[in-house]
Amino acid sequence: MNFKEGEILYFNKPLGWTSFKVVGHVRYHICRRMGVKKLKVGHAGTLDPLATGVMIVCTGKATKRIEEFQYHTKEYVADIRLGATTPSFDLEHEIDATYPTEHITRELVEETLQHFKGEIQQVPPAFSACMVNGKRAYDLARKGKEVDLKPKLLVIDEIELLQCNLPDIRVRVVCSKGTYIRALARDIGVALGSGAHLTALQRTRVGNVRLEDCLDPLAFRDWIDRQEVETGDEAAEGNE
């Protein structure tokens, strides 16, 4: 494997890890194996720390393909709790309001979900990496400042109810780049005349890459030590 020329790796991001931590972990073990001090490594599509699943990591010259991978269709499985909201629309923050759920039925949920299929306008979460006047929205939100984010046009290709144990539901979503599933959970709650927040999220596919194609970052050291890897000197010779 020639990580300097460029390799594309697929990982199943663990719960609690940031996307940045995955990249740092991968870079460290590749550099250790190659005997080099630095290597360009990047990921194609951030996952929140509380989300798990498919993450594409590119090395060396393959980092030029990151934008290409970001535009691939993504599939998620989301667990949503109805009847309560949080400031971040997930479990990062405590519940800040509760709402009635007695009127919600499985039939109402299935009917409501279909309204989100196709092109939709979505306002990103305040606790997100979106830029507002040159600053990250989450930095402003954490300081208690007002965050004014504009709606974005997105495409939901598929949305399906997998489980319904009210007030908890599980949905499968196939969507375009830039979709915040946390914000989708918020909007589903509003559409149901209640509130909602995300309790778990797994990205199950990016393009044709599925969970079964992914490496476990915790096992990456053992995996890379078994591979034939061009070292720093060999990689440099190959570029001459």
Side-chain angles (χ1 to χ4, degrees):
M1 303 185 82
N2 191 328
F3 290 103
K4 191 170 182 181
E5 275 300 301
E7 299 288 350
I8 298 162
L9 303 169
Y10 311 133
F11 290 94
N12 182 356
K13 189 190 82 64
L15 183 67
W17 284 41
T18 64
S19 300
F20 181 78
K21 180 176 178 177
V22 174
V23 169
H25 180 79
V26 171
R27 182 191 293 112
Y28 172 79
H29 285 295
I30 293 175
C31 288
R32 175 188 60 80
R33 183 75 171 82
M34 288 178 66
V36 298
K37 290 186 176 179
K38 60 181 182 179
L39 178 72
K40 187 181 284 188
V41 182
H43 68 82
T46 303
L47 274 174
D48 290 334
L50 296 179
T52 64
V54 180
M55 223 181 112
I56 298 177
V57 173
C58 302
T59 77
K61 294 179 182 178
T63 54
K64 294 175 183 176
R65 296 186 62 191
I66 283 176
E67 189 174 3
E68 169 197 334
F69 290 122
Q70 285 177 332
Y71 278 93
H72 286 185
T73 298
K74 299 174 178 69
E75 179 186 72
Y76 296 89
V77 171
D79 289 349
I80 300 169
R81 175 155 296 165
L82 305 174
T85 57
T86 74
S88 55
F89 315 140
D90 64 7
L91 295 178
E92 185 183 339
H93 291 83
E94 297 291 324
I95 289 170
D96 59 0
T98 57
Y99 301 83
T101 59
E102 294 79 8
H103 63 287
I104 300 174
T105 62
R106 182 188 184 101
E107 291 72 29
L108 180 61
V109 172
E110 289 184 328
E111 178 188 333
T112 301
L113 290 181
Q114 295 314 303
H115 297 160
F116 290 91
K117 193 181 275 187
E119 289 189 348
I120 65 166
Q121 293 280 347
Q122 184 186 80
V123 178
F127 289 90
S128 69
C130 291
M131 300 300 290
V132 180
N133 298 324
K135 296 184 178 179
R136 296 290 184 188
Y138 56 67
D139 286 332
L140 297 172
R142 284 169 185 155
K143 292 175 182 175
K145 294 184 178 179
E146 192 76 20
V147 179
D148 183 25
L149 292 166
K150 306 299 182 204
K152 294 184 178 180
L153 182 65
L154 308 168
V155 178
I156 306 292
D157 294 309
E158 299 176 41
I159 186 162
E160 173 190 10
L161 182 64
L162 298 178
Q163 292 181 20
C164 187
N165 300 305
L166 294 171
D168 296 306
I169 62 173
R170 175 173 291 174
V171 299
R172 182 181 70 88
V173 181
V174 179
C175 57
S176 65
K177 174 184 183 291
T179 304
Y180 281 93
I181 306 299
R182 288 183 285 136
L184 183 63
R186 168 202 64 197
D187 295 342
I188 288 170
V190 172
L192 286 167
S194 184
H197 64 281
L198 211 55
T199 56
L201 181 65
Q202 183 178 54
R203 187 155 68 195
T204 50
R205 180 169 62 83
V206 177
N208 294 321
V209 181
R210 297 181 178 276
L211 279 171
E212 53 265 32
D213 304 318
C214 294
L215 294 164
D216 178 356
L218 294 172
F220 184 61
R221 175 177 184 151
D222 292 338
W223 180 87
I224 198 169
D225 285 347
R226 296 194 302 270
Q227 309 306 309
E228 285 191 20
V229 174
E230 293 202 25
T231 63
D233 293 339
E234 291 168 337
E237 288 171 8
N239 290 328
E240 288 178 358

